[in-house]
Amino acid sequence: MSESIRSDTDVQILDKDGSVLPDATVPDLDDDTLVEMYAQMRLCRSFDERAVSLQRQGRSGTYSTMLGHEGTLVGSAFALAEDDWIVPYYRDQGATVTHGLPLENILMYYMGHEQGSVIPEDVNVMPICITIADHIPHATGIAWASKLKGEESATVCYFGDGATSEGDFHEGLNFAGVMDTPNLFICMNNQWAISTPFERQTAADTIAQKAQGYGFEGIRVDGMDPLAVYTVTQQAREKALDPDADQARPTLIETLLYRIGAHNTSDDPSAYRGEEEVEEWREWDPLPRLETFLRERGLLDDEEIDAIEERNTEQVEAAVEAAENVTADPEEMFEHVYAEQTQNVREQQEYLRRLREEFGDEQLLED
């Protein structure tokens, strides 16, 4: 299946071995930015491995890995401006962190601390959405608001192929087409919606072609090629903010990639897919492809890679320490539901407070 990536995609720049395809155009990024993109992808890989380790040690809850998704997440986030919004689901850590979300927020979220969903004021990222696809209409609403307010910002919404079978996907994209909102809908088609294969997800040949039904452009890109994803996202963003007369603002970007790891730390993928398939796709791993590209240009060597790894390890460990030093308060679950608490939320908070006073936290947890 992986050998067909190029023929199945509209855009690909790097071949499987990291060389530039003969008919491809490398994006106009300076050398430092290209190395920074690689370093950020390695940070995502290191963070992912550490987060899984924490879950296995019982120090964190169930975690969804992004192994194999780094090219899409980092490549697309590099194409965004600071004022752009990201509306994520549960596998977008690479994009949200690249857009400014502290690593410890991700860890706090998976450790069950409400503070993980408290986004810093200067970071345009919405909290993680665990439910499937219901963040898509929110992304459309944010983009519509930006358009009405005359802001120069696009709204990017990430989701998986399984989300395209939900009603919220169709409602969000239909509304975006009708209201011509500055949205980028990035579907990471990683071939498996937990145990449901892509061919059982839709009878359509591609997800990108669904955009035609909503009146805007759909494009399919090699999602394990960070340079291709950057290019497509950058062009879609430009169109969202300043379209030609015959162009619609929204774009549906289908990034064709593979979930190399399990769906999450509660999943056993060997129950529904073969290791041969995994190994075939692993050959398209976005990290070695970009690393080869940079080495061949003289922008990267072993010494620089070691330095990047050392910095990443320090950053990840600092985030782990910060997250584990948080003292959680159960009442925080009521603090950030609305900008201002409603009467109903205040009553629920007061009810929990009375229970804790009457029975104590230890007995409440046991019963």
Side-chain angles (χ1 to χ4, degrees):
M1 181 185 294
S2 60
E3 291 295 339
S4 65
I5 279 185
R6 191 178 181 205
S7 61
D8 282 353
T9 55
D10 299 323
V11 182
Q12 184 183 356
I13 293 174
L14 298 179
D15 208 343
K16 184 164 62 175
D17 62 2
S19 61
V20 177
L21 292 166
D23 55 349
T25 300
V26 175
D28 185 20
L29 294 170
D30 61 50
D31 294 347
D32 290 343
T33 301
L34 288 168
V35 174
E36 186 183 347
M37 181 184 291
Y38 171 79
Q40 189 68 7
M41 289 168 59
R42 286 197 72 113
L43 174 65
C44 293
R45 185 67 59 94
S46 297
F47 177 80
D48 220 38
E49 293 170 352
R50 191 71 172 99
V52 171
S53 171
L54 290 171
Q55 192 278 333
R56 298 300 188 219
Q57 296 170 44
R59 295 160 66 184
S60 177
T62 301
Y63 175 79
S64 298
T65 75
M66 51 185 160
L67 184 61
H69 297 58
E70 299 92 342
T72 284
L73 296 170
V74 175
S76 60
F78 262 68
L80 305 182
E82 186 176 348
D83 288 340
D84 293 334
W85 281 91
I86 286 181
V87 185
Y89 78 136
Y90 50 77
R91 206 185 302 282
D92 301 338
Q93 302 90 305
T96 55
V97 167
T98 301
H99 205 51
L101 187 68
L103 281 176
E104 52 264 37
N105 274 62
I106 305 293
L107 291 174
M108 285 190 290
Y109 176 85
Y110 282 105
M111 289 176 179
H113 301 326
E114 293 296 318
Q115 294 174 45
S117 296
V118 180
I119 312 297
E121 287 287 340
D122 59 345
V123 177
N124 284 1
V125 171
M126 296 294 287
I128 294 172
C129 178
I130 285 291
T131 50
I132 305 301
D134 64 1
H135 61 311
I136 297 176
H138 295 181
T140 301
I142 292 171
W144 188 26
S146 294
K147 179 183 177 184
L148 293 173
K149 293 160 72 175
E151 297 173 341
E152 288 293 314
S153 65
T155 300
V156 183
C157 183
Y158 297 89
F159 47 89
D161 40 300
T164 64
S165 296
E166 298 287 341
D168 284 326
F169 167 79
H170 303 285
E171 292 157 11
L173 270 67
N174 185 62
F175 201 90
V178 171
M179 305 309 292
D180 195 31
T181 55
N183 278 108
L184 279 66
F185 300 103
I186 298 182
C187 175
M188 293 188 286
N189 179 3
N190 64 18
Q191 314 303 313
W192 290 94
I194 309 183
S195 58
T196 302
F198 177 68
E199 59 267 24
R200 299 294 295 171
Q201 195 65 246
T202 177
D205 291 334
T206 74
I207 290 171
Q209 68 185 217
K210 295 176 184 285
Q212 186 174 1
Y214 308 114
F216 52 82
E217 182 184 11
I219 189 167
R220 203 180 209 202
V221 58
D222 177 356
M224 302 174 89
D225 177 350
L227 301 185
V229 174
Y230 172 88
T231 297
V232 168
T233 307
Q234 192 260 345
Q235 293 173 350
R237 181 183 181 276
E238 284 186 2
K239 178 164 61 72
L241 299 180
D242 188 21
D244 293 337
D246 60 345
Q247 289 181 317
R249 293 177 188 270
T251 302
L252 172 59
I253 301 171
E254 177 187 3
T255 68
L256 193 64
L257 44 78
Y258 193 74
R259 193 195 74 215
I260 297 174
H263 174 71
N264 59 35
T265 49
S266 298
D267 176 42
D268 175 14
S270 67
Y272 52 82
R273 70 183 189 189
E275 188 59 30
E276 182 180 345
E277 175 184 307
V278 179
E279 291 306 314
E280 185 181 6
W281 278 91
R282 197 185 291 275
E283 296 176 6
W284 294 83
D285 190 327
L287 264 76
R289 289 170 75 184
L290 185 59
E291 181 176 317
T292 299
F293 169 81
L294 295 173
R295 282 181 182 272
E296 290 181 347
R297 293 196 163 205
L299 302 178
L300 200 64
D301 55 24
D302 290 343
E303 185 178 355
E304 176 62 18
I305 291 174
D306 289 342
I308 289 171
E309 278 297 275
E310 185 175 350
R311 291 196 298 271
N312 288 346
T313 299
E314 291 175 357
Q315 189 174 346
V316 170
E317 290 310 312
V320 173
E321 183 177 356
E324 291 194 322
N325 282 336
V326 171
T327 301
D329 183 343
E331 292 196 25
E332 289 179 354
M333 73 176 81
F334 303 101
E335 298 293 337
H336 308 291
V337 180
Y338 299 101
E340 296 181 7
Q341 277 194 339
T342 64
Q343 179 63 28
N344 181 269
V345 172
R346 280 195 296 272
E347 290 174 357
Q348 292 179 52
Q349 185 176 28
E350 182 57 33
Y351 177 67
L352 176 63
R353 189 174 296 151
R354 290 199 303 271
L355 288 177
R356 296 179 69 193
E357 290 173 354
E358 183 174 355
F359 299 103
D361 286 345
E362 187 172 342
Q363 186 172 348
L364 277 177
L365 289 173
E366 289 180 353
D367 297 339

